[in-house]
Each structure stands twice: as C-alpha cells, then as structure tokens.
C-alpha cells in the first residue's frame, strides 16, 4: 500500500505546458525575423525612390541644356544666313533728270581702271588729274615731264658742270634725265654713254609703282643695264648708278 502511495505522489509532467513553451519560442523568433525583413524592404524602397528622383532631375537638367544649345545654334545659323544678304545688298540707285525732265536712275561714278589716265602727264599741268602716279614723279627732280627727245639731248649737252654750254665739247658720261614718252604707259630715260652719246631707253610703268627698264638695243655699247623690274624709279637709278651718275634736274 505504501509503495502505491509513493508512486501516486510523484509529480506529473504536464505535456500541455511543455508544448506551450515551445510554440511561444518559435512564434517569437519567427515574428522577430519577419519584422526585420520588412524593415530591410522598406529601406530598399526608400533608396530606389531617392535614386529615381535624382535621375529625373538629371534628365530635366539635360533637357534644359539641350534646349539652350539648340536656341544658340539657331541664332548663329540665322546670323550666317542674313550676313551675306546684308553685305551684298546693292546701293540704291541715284536719281537724276531723264528724258522729258522725268527722274531716272543714274549709275554711281566708277573709279577709272588702272592705266586709263595718261601716265606721262606732267605734274601740275592738269593732263592726268594728279594722283599717286604724278605725286611719285613730282618727287624726282630729274623728271622733266612732256619733253621731246631733241629737247632732252639739248639739256644733256647744255647743262654740263662748271661753266654751262660749251660748243664742240661732248657732255660727260653718266648724265641722265626722265621725261614723258609718246607711248602710253611708258616713260623715257635719256642718258649719256660711250663718250657723251645720247641714249634713250624706255621705262614701262607697272602696277604698284613698279617699273621695268628696257635693255639697250645697241649691243655694241656694252652696257650691262636694263631688262629688269624695279620697285620704284629711285631703286632703278640706284641699281644702275654706274651709268646714271649725274642727274639733270629741272
């Protein structure tokens, strides 16, 4: 009897209470893990949304810059198209009296072409209307303007140094002067060579004040001059100073 009571008095193990503890532990752990995963998902969503916002802002800024560049290009192209039209627009015609007193368009005066004016006109004579060609000649004291070949020979013989004209005495070599030529666009250079002989040479006038001195046709004189172009008449005289030594001035 006593043994039975002892067995009866032993504490019982409650299976229901053990099951409850296990379920509670699993539920709490699972719930905590799921809650942490939701937080990570929320953070990822926030990051994606912020990145999308920055991308939209960059796209909007790029669109604005493209619009500004397109407007600038359009303005430059418009200026380029309008520029030649403005520069090439003809001047309005001048109006003058026409037939019967009516107004008619008159063309503006045109500058004469190079060489159209008599190049050999004497300065101050009014023959060439002045200008750069005659101004260049007027600086030369040995330019005599409209002078004949015979008159040039007389000057070369008469204006000898130390004493004036002396009959029967040839002028020294190297005396020279410049005069107009009967050929349009040319001058004549007269000089004394080979014992006082009178030698005329043609000087062709070219653009920009340049001149071309023609070579002597008489090879027997043995003159190594002419056949060359020079920047100016002054340079022509300097480069041929062995033959052009004493100018006969006006």
């Amino acid at each position: 009897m006593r043994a039975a009571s002892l067995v009866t008095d032993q504490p019982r193990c409650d299976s229901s209470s053990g099951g409850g503890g296990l379920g509670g532990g699993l539920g709490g752990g699972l719930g905590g893990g799921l809650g942490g995963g939701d937080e990570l998902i929320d953070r990822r969503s926030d990051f994606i949304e912020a990145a999308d916002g920055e991308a939209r802002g960059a796209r909007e800024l790029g669109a604005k810059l493209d619009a500004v560049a397109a407007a600038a290009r359009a303005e430059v192209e418009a200026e380029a198209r309008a520029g030649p039209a403005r520069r090439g627009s003809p001047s309005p015609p001048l109006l003058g009296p026409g037939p019967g007193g009516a107004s008619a368009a008159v063309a503006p005066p045109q500058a004469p072409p190079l060489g159209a004016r008599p190049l050999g006109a004497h300065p101050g004579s009014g023959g060439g209307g002045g200008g750069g060609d005659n101004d260049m000649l007027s600086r030369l004291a040995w330019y005599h303007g409209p002078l004949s070949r015979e008159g040039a020979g007389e000057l070369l013989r008469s204006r000898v140094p130390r004493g004036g004209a002396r009959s029967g005495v040839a002028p020294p070599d190297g005396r020279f002067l410049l005069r107009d030529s009967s050929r349009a666009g040319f001058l004549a250079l007269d000089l004394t060579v080979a014992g006082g002989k009178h030698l005329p040479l043609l000087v062709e006038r070219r653009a920009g004040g340049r001149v071309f001195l023609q070579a002597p046709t008489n090879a027997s004189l043995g003159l190594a001059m002419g056949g060359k172009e020079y920047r100016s008449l002054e340079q022509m005289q300097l480069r041929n100073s062995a033959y052009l030594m004493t100018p006969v001035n006006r």
Side-chain angles (χ1 to χ4, degrees):
M1 292 291 295
R2 188 164 183 86
S5 64
L6 289 173
V7 174
T8 305
D9 292 337
Q10 290 296 324
R12 296 181 182 180
C13 184
D14 193 347
S15 62
S16 63
S17 62
L22 179 61
L26 291 175
L30 182 59
L34 292 175
D38 292 340
E39 184 178 356
L40 291 176
I41 293 173
D42 292 340
R43 291 182 180 177
R44 182 176 180 275
S45 300
D46 293 342
F47 177 77
I48 293 174
E49 185 177 356
D52 290 341
E54 292 181 359
R56 283 194 300 273
R59 286 195 297 270
E60 292 175 358
L61 179 59
K64 292 180 180 179
L65 293 177
D66 290 341
V68 172
R73 283 195 301 269
E75 184 176 356
V76 171
E77 291 174 357
E79 286 290 333
R81 287 193 298 268
R86 285 198 299 267
R87 290 192 297 269
S89 57
S91 302
L94 303 177
L95 295 179
S103 296
V106 179
Q110 301 293 327
L114 182 64
R117 176 169 53 84
L119 293 174
H122 186 266
S125 65
D133 294 327
N134 287 339
D135 290 342
M136 179 182 65
L137 289 173
S138 65
R139 295 196 302 267
L140 300 176
W142 38 280
Y143 170 67
H144 291 258
L147 181 66
S148 65
R149 177 175 178 175
E150 291 75 15
E154 288 293 332
L155 288 179
L156 291 174
R157 287 191 298 270
S158 63
R159 296 188 184 181
V160 295
R162 301 179 184 177
R166 293 183 293 172
S167 176
V169 178
D173 292 347
R175 293 170 56 77
F176 69 96
L177 60 85
L178 190 69
R179 59 182 173 86
D180 294 342
S181 172
S182 58
R183 294 182 59 178
F186 286 83
L187 298 169
L189 176 67
D190 297 270
L191 65 154
T192 54
V193 297
K197 293 182 180 179
H198 176 196
L199 176 65
L201 297 176
L202 285 175
V203 180
E204 180 185 359
R205 304 190 64 183
R206 296 182 174 180
R210 306 181 74 88
V211 295
F212 182 86
L213 176 62
Q214 294 190 354
T217 58
N218 189 353
S220 62
L221 296 175
L223 302 179
M225 66 181 300
K228 296 180 181 179
E229 184 184 64
Y230 304 96
R231 291 195 303 270
S232 63
L233 291 167
E234 292 91 339
Q235 188 191 45
M236 179 192 73
Q237 188 269 325
L238 291 174
R239 294 291 176 86
N240 297 278
S241 58
Y243 304 100
L244 305 177
M245 294 181 287
T246 308
V248 177
N249 297 333
R250 293 190 294 270

Short mmCIF file of all heavy atoms in Angstrom, two decimals, residues 137-189:
data_model
loop_
_atom_site.label_atom_id
_atom_site.label_comp_id
_atom_site.label_asym_id
_atom_site.label_seq_id
_atom_site.Cartn_x
_atom_site.Cartn_y
_atom_site.Cartn_z
N LEU A 137 56.18 110.99 -109.40
CA LEU A 137 57.09 111.66 -110.34
C LEU A 137 57.51 113.03 -109.85
O LEU A 137 58.65 113.46 -110.06
CB LEU A 137 56.42 111.76 -111.71
CG LEU A 137 56.27 110.45 -112.48
CD1 LEU A 137 55.43 110.69 -113.74
CD2 LEU A 137 57.62 109.88 -112.85
N SER A 138 56.60 113.73 -109.18
CA SER A 138 56.93 115.09 -108.75
C SER A 138 58.03 115.12 -107.71
O SER A 138 58.68 116.15 -107.51
CB SER A 138 55.67 115.78 -108.21
OG SER A 138 55.22 115.12 -107.02
N ARG A 139 58.27 113.98 -107.05
CA ARG A 139 59.34 113.93 -106.06
C ARG A 139 60.71 113.83 -106.73
O ARG A 139 61.73 114.04 -106.07
CB ARG A 139 59.15 112.74 -105.13
CG ARG A 139 57.92 112.81 -104.26
CD ARG A 139 58.01 111.81 -103.13
NE ARG A 139 58.18 110.45 -103.60
CZ ARG A 139 57.18 109.60 -103.81
NH1 ARG A 139 55.93 110.01 -103.59
NH2 ARG A 139 57.40 108.37 -104.22
N LEU A 140 60.74 113.47 -108.00
CA LEU A 140 62.01 113.32 -108.71
C LEU A 140 62.40 114.64 -109.37
O LEU A 140 61.71 115.11 -110.29
CB LEU A 140 61.90 112.22 -109.77
CG LEU A 140 61.55 110.82 -109.26
CD1 LEU A 140 61.40 109.86 -110.43
CD2 LEU A 140 62.60 110.32 -108.28
N ALA A 141 63.50 115.21 -108.95
CA ALA A 141 63.95 116.47 -109.54
C ALA A 141 64.43 116.27 -110.97
O ALA A 141 64.46 117.23 -111.75
CB ALA A 141 65.08 117.07 -108.69
N TRP A 142 64.77 115.04 -111.35
CA TRP A 142 65.27 114.79 -112.70
C TRP A 142 64.18 114.33 -113.66
O TRP A 142 64.47 113.86 -114.76
CB TRP A 142 66.42 113.77 -112.67
CG TRP A 142 66.28 112.64 -111.70
CD1 TRP A 142 66.53 112.68 -110.37
CD2 TRP A 142 65.87 111.30 -111.99
NE1 TRP A 142 66.31 111.45 -109.79
CE2 TRP A 142 65.91 110.58 -110.76
CE3 TRP A 142 65.48 110.62 -113.14
CZ2 TRP A 142 65.56 109.24 -110.67
CZ3 TRP A 142 65.14 109.29 -113.05
CH2 TRP A 142 65.19 108.62 -111.83
N TYR A 143 62.90 114.49 -113.26
CA TYR A 143 61.78 114.24 -114.16
C TYR A 143 61.35 115.57 -114.78
O TYR A 143 61.02 116.53 -114.07
CB TYR A 143 60.61 113.61 -113.40
CG TYR A 143 59.33 113.54 -114.20
CD1 TYR A 143 59.24 112.73 -115.32
CD2 TYR A 143 58.22 114.31 -113.85
CE1 TYR A 143 58.06 112.68 -116.07
CE2 TYR A 143 57.06 114.26 -114.58
CZ TYR A 143 56.98 113.44 -115.69
OH TYR A 143 55.84 113.39 -116.42
N HIS A 144 61.28 115.62 -116.12
CA HIS A 144 61.02 116.88 -116.82
C HIS A 144 59.67 116.91 -117.51
O HIS A 144 59.38 117.88 -118.24
CB HIS A 144 62.13 117.13 -117.86
CG HIS A 144 63.44 117.46 -117.24
ND1 HIS A 144 63.97 118.74 -117.15
CD2 HIS A 144 64.37 116.65 -116.65
CE1 HIS A 144 65.14 118.72 -116.55
NE2 HIS A 144 65.42 117.45 -116.24
N GLY A 145 58.84 115.91 -117.35
CA GLY A 145 57.51 115.96 -117.90
C GLY A 145 57.49 115.83 -119.41
O GLY A 145 58.27 115.07 -120.01
N PRO A 146 56.58 116.58 -120.09
CA PRO A 146 56.47 116.49 -121.56
C PRO A 146 57.66 117.18 -122.25
O PRO A 146 57.65 118.39 -122.46
CB PRO A 146 55.15 117.19 -121.87
CG PRO A 146 54.96 118.14 -120.73
CD PRO A 146 55.58 117.50 -119.52
N LEU A 147 58.64 116.39 -122.59
CA LEU A 147 59.86 116.90 -123.22
C LEU A 147 60.18 115.98 -124.39
O LEU A 147 60.10 114.76 -124.29
CB LEU A 147 61.01 116.90 -122.20
CG LEU A 147 62.36 117.43 -122.68
CD1 LEU A 147 62.28 118.92 -123.00
CD2 LEU A 147 63.43 117.18 -121.62
N SER A 148 60.55 116.59 -125.53
CA SER A 148 60.87 115.79 -126.71
C SER A 148 62.26 115.17 -126.58
O SER A 148 63.06 115.55 -125.71
CB SER A 148 60.82 116.66 -127.97
OG SER A 148 61.85 117.64 -127.93
N ARG A 149 62.52 114.23 -127.47
CA ARG A 149 63.85 113.58 -127.47
C ARG A 149 64.94 114.60 -127.79
O ARG A 149 66.02 114.58 -127.17
CB ARG A 149 63.86 112.44 -128.49
CG ARG A 149 65.20 111.74 -128.64
CD ARG A 149 65.07 110.55 -129.57
NE ARG A 149 66.34 109.90 -129.77
CZ ARG A 149 66.51 108.78 -130.45
NH1 ARG A 149 65.45 108.19 -131.03
NH2 ARG A 149 67.70 108.24 -130.60
N GLU A 150 64.65 115.50 -128.74
CA GLU A 150 65.64 116.52 -129.08
C GLU A 150 65.88 117.47 -127.91
O GLU A 150 67.01 117.88 -127.63
CB GLU A 150 65.19 117.30 -130.31
CG GLU A 150 65.18 116.50 -131.60
CD GLU A 150 64.01 115.51 -131.68
OE1 GLU A 150 63.06 115.66 -130.88
OE2 GLU A 150 64.04 114.62 -132.54
N GLY A 151 64.77 117.83 -127.23
CA GLY A 151 64.93 118.71 -126.08
C GLY A 151 65.73 118.05 -124.96
O GLY A 151 66.53 118.71 -124.28
N ALA A 152 65.54 116.74 -124.78
CA ALA A 152 66.32 116.04 -123.77
C ALA A 152 67.79 116.03 -124.14
O ALA A 152 68.67 116.22 -123.28
CB ALA A 152 65.80 114.60 -123.63
N GLY A 153 68.11 115.84 -125.44
CA GLY A 153 69.51 115.88 -125.86
C GLY A 153 70.13 117.23 -125.63
O GLY A 153 71.31 117.33 -125.23
N GLU A 154 69.35 118.29 -125.86
CA GLU A 154 69.88 119.64 -125.62
C GLU A 154 70.20 119.84 -124.14
O GLU A 154 71.24 120.41 -123.79
CB GLU A 154 68.87 120.68 -126.08
CG GLU A 154 68.74 120.80 -127.59
CD GLU A 154 70.00 121.35 -128.24
OE1 GLU A 154 70.74 122.11 -127.58
OE2 GLU A 154 70.26 121.00 -129.41
N LEU A 155 69.32 119.36 -123.27
CA LEU A 155 69.58 119.52 -121.83
C LEU A 155 70.80 118.71 -121.39
O LEU A 155 71.60 119.18 -120.58
CB LEU A 155 68.35 119.08 -121.03
CG LEU A 155 67.13 119.99 -121.08
CD1 LEU A 155 65.98 119.40 -120.26
CD2 LEU A 155 67.46 121.38 -120.56
N LEU A 156 70.94 117.51 -121.92
CA LEU A 156 72.10 116.71 -121.55
C LEU A 156 73.40 117.37 -122.00
O LEU A 156 74.43 117.27 -121.31
CB LEU A 156 71.99 115.32 -122.19
CG LEU A 156 70.88 114.41 -121.64
CD1 LEU A 156 70.81 113.13 -122.45
CD2 LEU A 156 71.11 114.08 -120.17
N ARG A 157 73.37 118.07 -123.13
CA ARG A 157 74.59 118.71 -123.63
C ARG A 157 74.84 120.06 -122.98
O ARG A 157 75.98 120.44 -122.75
CB ARG A 157 74.49 118.89 -125.15
CG ARG A 157 74.64 117.61 -125.94
CD ARG A 157 74.80 117.90 -127.43
NE ARG A 157 73.62 118.58 -127.97
CZ ARG A 157 72.58 117.93 -128.49
NH1 ARG A 157 72.57 116.61 -128.52
NH2 ARG A 157 71.56 118.61 -128.99
N SER A 158 73.76 120.77 -122.68
CA SER A 158 73.94 122.16 -122.23
C SER A 158 74.23 122.26 -120.74
O SER A 158 75.03 123.09 -120.32
CB SER A 158 72.71 122.99 -122.58
OG SER A 158 71.57 122.50 -121.88
N ARG A 159 73.61 121.47 -119.96
CA ARG A 159 73.78 121.60 -118.50
C ARG A 159 74.97 120.76 -118.03
O ARG A 159 74.84 119.81 -117.26
CB ARG A 159 72.50 121.17 -117.78
CG ARG A 159 71.33 122.08 -118.11
CD ARG A 159 70.14 121.76 -117.24
NE ARG A 159 68.99 122.56 -117.62
CZ ARG A 159 67.80 122.50 -117.01
NH1 ARG A 159 67.61 121.65 -116.02
NH2 ARG A 159 66.81 123.26 -117.41
N VAL A 160 76.12 121.13 -118.53
CA VAL A 160 77.33 120.44 -118.11
C VAL A 160 77.86 121.13 -116.85
O VAL A 160 77.67 122.33 -116.66
CB VAL A 160 78.40 120.47 -119.22
CG1 VAL A 160 77.92 119.68 -120.41
CG2 VAL A 160 78.73 121.90 -119.63
N PRO A 161 78.51 120.41 -115.96
CA PRO A 161 79.04 121.04 -114.76
C PRO A 161 80.11 122.07 -115.09
O PRO A 161 80.83 121.97 -116.08
CB PRO A 161 79.62 119.86 -113.97
CG PRO A 161 79.03 118.63 -114.59
CD PRO A 161 78.77 118.97 -116.00
N ARG A 162 80.19 123.06 -114.23
CA ARG A 162 81.26 124.05 -114.27
C ARG A 162 81.32 124.81 -115.60
O ARG A 162 82.22 124.62 -116.41
CB ARG A 162 82.63 123.40 -114.02
CG ARG A 162 82.73 122.69 -112.69
CD ARG A 162 84.10 122.06 -112.55
NE ARG A 162 84.21 121.28 -111.32
CZ ARG A 162 85.30 120.58 -110.98
NH1 ARG A 162 86.35 120.57 -111.79
NH2 ARG A 162 85.32 119.91 -109.87
N GLY A 163 80.34 125.60 -115.85
CA GLY A 163 80.51 126.51 -116.97
C GLY A 163 79.41 126.54 -117.99
O GLY A 163 79.47 127.33 -118.92
N GLY A 164 78.40 125.67 -117.92
CA GLY A 164 77.31 125.73 -118.86
C GLY A 164 77.70 125.21 -120.23
O GLY A 164 78.60 124.40 -120.39
N ALA A 165 77.01 125.72 -121.29
CA ALA A 165 77.19 125.18 -122.64
C ALA A 165 78.54 125.57 -123.21
O ALA A 165 78.97 126.71 -123.11
CB ALA A 165 76.07 125.70 -123.55
N ARG A 166 79.21 124.60 -123.79
CA ARG A 166 80.47 124.85 -124.47
C ARG A 166 80.43 124.14 -125.83
O ARG A 166 80.31 122.93 -125.89
CB ARG A 166 81.66 124.34 -123.65
CG ARG A 166 81.86 125.12 -122.35
CD ARG A 166 83.09 124.63 -121.62
NE ARG A 166 82.89 123.25 -121.14
CZ ARG A 166 83.86 122.51 -120.61
NH1 ARG A 166 85.08 123.01 -120.49
NH2 ARG A 166 83.61 121.29 -120.20
N SER A 167 80.49 124.87 -126.87
CA SER A 167 80.33 124.32 -128.21
C SER A 167 81.47 123.34 -128.52
O SER A 167 82.64 123.62 -128.26
CB SER A 167 80.33 125.46 -129.24
OG SER A 167 80.27 124.94 -130.54
N GLY A 168 81.08 122.19 -129.09
CA GLY A 168 82.07 121.23 -129.52
C GLY A 168 82.57 120.32 -128.42
O GLY A 168 83.42 119.47 -128.68
N VAL A 169 82.09 120.47 -127.19
CA VAL A 169 82.54 119.63 -126.08
C VAL A 169 81.43 118.66 -125.74
O VAL A 169 80.30 119.06 -125.44
CB VAL A 169 82.91 120.48 -124.85
CG1 VAL A 169 83.33 119.58 -123.69
CG2 VAL A 169 84.02 121.45 -125.20
N ALA A 170 81.71 117.37 -125.81
CA ALA A 170 80.70 116.36 -125.51
C ALA A 170 80.43 116.32 -124.01
O ALA A 170 81.35 116.51 -123.20
CB ALA A 170 81.18 114.98 -125.98
N PRO A 171 79.19 116.10 -123.63
CA PRO A 171 78.91 116.01 -122.19
C PRO A 171 79.52 114.75 -121.61
O PRO A 171 79.74 113.76 -122.32
CB PRO A 171 77.38 115.94 -122.15
CG PRO A 171 76.99 115.39 -123.47
CD PRO A 171 78.00 115.89 -124.45
N PRO A 172 79.85 114.77 -120.34
CA PRO A 172 80.44 113.58 -119.73
C PRO A 172 79.41 112.44 -119.65
O PRO A 172 78.20 112.66 -119.64
CB PRO A 172 80.84 114.05 -118.34
CG PRO A 172 79.95 115.21 -118.06
CD PRO A 172 79.69 115.87 -119.39
N ASP A 173 79.94 111.22 -119.61
CA ASP A 173 79.05 110.07 -119.47
C ASP A 173 78.40 110.05 -118.09
O ASP A 173 78.92 110.58 -117.11
CB ASP A 173 79.85 108.78 -119.66
CG ASP A 173 80.33 108.62 -121.09
OD1 ASP A 173 79.85 109.37 -121.96
OD2 ASP A 173 81.20 107.75 -121.31
N GLY A 174 77.23 109.44 -118.05
CA GLY A 174 76.55 109.27 -116.78
C GLY A 174 75.53 110.34 -116.46
O GLY A 174 74.89 110.29 -115.40
N ARG A 175 75.32 111.30 -117.34
CA ARG A 175 74.28 112.29 -117.11
C ARG A 175 72.94 111.71 -117.58
O ARG A 175 72.88 111.01 -118.60
CB ARG A 175 74.61 113.59 -117.88
CG ARG A 175 75.84 114.29 -117.33
CD ARG A 175 76.30 115.44 -118.24
NE ARG A 175 75.26 116.42 -118.50
CZ ARG A 175 74.88 117.36 -117.63
NH1 ARG A 175 75.46 117.44 -116.45
NH2 ARG A 175 73.93 118.22 -117.95
N PHE A 176 71.88 112.02 -116.88
CA PHE A 176 70.58 111.40 -117.22
C PHE A 176 69.44 112.29 -116.78
O PHE A 176 69.58 113.16 -115.90
CB PHE A 176 70.46 110.02 -116.56
CG PHE A 176 70.34 110.06 -115.06
CD1 PHE A 176 69.10 110.02 -114.43
CD2 PHE A 176 71.47 110.15 -114.26
CE1 PHE A 176 68.98 110.06 -113.05
CE2 PHE A 176 71.36 110.18 -112.88
CZ PHE A 176 70.12 110.14 -112.28
N LEU A 177 68.28 112.03 -117.40
CA LEU A 177 67.03 112.68 -117.02
C LEU A 177 65.88 111.77 -117.42
O LEU A 177 66.05 110.83 -118.21
CB LEU A 177 66.90 114.07 -117.64
CG LEU A 177 66.91 114.18 -119.18
CD1 LEU A 177 65.52 113.98 -119.78
CD2 LEU A 177 67.46 115.54 -119.60
N LEU A 178 64.70 112.07 -116.91
CA LEU A 178 63.49 111.28 -117.18
C LEU A 178 62.43 112.20 -117.76
O LEU A 178 62.27 113.35 -117.31
CB LEU A 178 62.98 110.63 -115.90
CG LEU A 178 61.86 109.59 -116.03
CD1 LEU A 178 62.39 108.33 -116.72
CD2 LEU A 178 61.29 109.24 -114.66
N ARG A 179 61.70 111.71 -118.73
CA ARG A 179 60.67 112.52 -119.39
C ARG A 179 59.51 111.62 -119.81
O ARG A 179 59.58 110.39 -119.71
CB ARG A 179 61.25 113.24 -120.61
CG ARG A 179 61.82 112.28 -121.65
CD ARG A 179 62.44 113.02 -122.83
NE ARG A 179 63.14 112.12 -123.74
CZ ARG A 179 62.57 111.46 -124.74
NH1 ARG A 179 61.26 111.63 -124.99
NH2 ARG A 179 63.28 110.66 -125.52
N ASP A 180 58.43 112.26 -120.30
CA ASP A 180 57.29 111.52 -120.82
C ASP A 180 57.66 110.88 -122.15
O ASP A 180 58.49 111.40 -122.91
CB ASP A 180 56.09 112.44 -121.03
CG ASP A 180 55.55 112.99 -119.72
OD1 ASP A 180 55.86 112.40 -118.67
OD2 ASP A 180 54.82 114.00 -119.75
N SER A 181 57.01 109.75 -122.42
CA SER A 181 57.18 109.08 -123.71
C SER A 181 55.92 109.22 -124.54
O SER A 181 54.81 109.40 -124.01
CB SER A 181 57.50 107.59 -123.48
OG SER A 181 57.49 106.88 -124.71
N SER A 182 56.07 109.13 -125.85
CA SER A 182 54.91 109.18 -126.72
C SER A 182 54.09 107.89 -126.65
O SER A 182 52.94 107.87 -127.08
CB SER A 182 55.35 109.41 -128.18
OG SER A 182 56.25 108.38 -128.59
N ARG A 183 54.65 106.84 -126.09
CA ARG A 183 53.93 105.58 -125.92
C ARG A 183 53.19 105.59 -124.59
O ARG A 183 53.77 105.91 -123.54
CB ARG A 183 54.91 104.40 -125.96
CG ARG A 183 55.56 104.20 -127.31
CD ARG A 183 56.48 102.99 -127.31
NE ARG A 183 55.76 101.78 -126.95
CZ ARG A 183 56.34 100.57 -126.91
NH1 ARG A 183 57.65 100.45 -127.17
NH2 ARG A 183 55.63 99.51 -126.58
N ALA A 184 51.91 105.27 -124.64
CA ALA A 184 51.10 105.27 -123.42
C ALA A 184 51.64 104.22 -122.44
O ALA A 184 51.93 103.08 -122.82
CB ALA A 184 49.64 104.97 -123.75
N GLY A 185 51.73 104.61 -121.17
CA GLY A 185 52.19 103.70 -120.14
C GLY A 185 53.69 103.59 -120.03
O GLY A 185 54.20 102.73 -119.30
N PHE A 186 54.42 104.45 -120.72
CA PHE A 186 55.88 104.41 -120.70
C PHE A 186 56.44 105.79 -120.37
O PHE A 186 55.81 106.82 -120.61
CB PHE A 186 56.45 103.95 -122.04
CG PHE A 186 56.28 102.47 -122.30
CD1 PHE A 186 55.09 101.98 -122.80
CD2 PHE A 186 57.32 101.59 -122.05
CE1 PHE A 186 54.92 100.63 -123.05
CE2 PHE A 186 57.17 100.23 -122.30
CZ PHE A 186 55.96 99.75 -122.79
N LEU A 187 57.66 105.79 -119.85
CA LEU A 187 58.48 106.99 -119.70
C LEU A 187 59.75 106.77 -120.52
O LEU A 187 60.03 105.66 -120.96
CB LEU A 187 58.84 107.24 -118.23
CG LEU A 187 57.67 107.50 -117.28
CD1 LEU A 187 58.14 107.47 -115.84
CD2 LEU A 187 57.01 108.84 -117.59
N ALA A 188 60.50 107.85 -120.69
CA ALA A 188 61.76 107.77 -121.44
C ALA A 188 62.90 108.20 -120.52
O ALA A 188 62.83 109.25 -119.88
CB ALA A 188 61.72 108.64 -122.68
N LEU A 189 63.91 107.37 -120.47
CA LEU A 189 65.12 107.67 -119.70
C LEU A 189 66.22 108.01 -120.70
O LEU A 189 66.60 107.19 -121.54
CB LEU A 189 65.53 106.47 -118.86
CG LEU A 189 66.84 106.59 -118.08
CD1 LEU A 189 66.71 107.65 -116.99
CD2 LEU A 189 67.25 105.26 -117.47
#
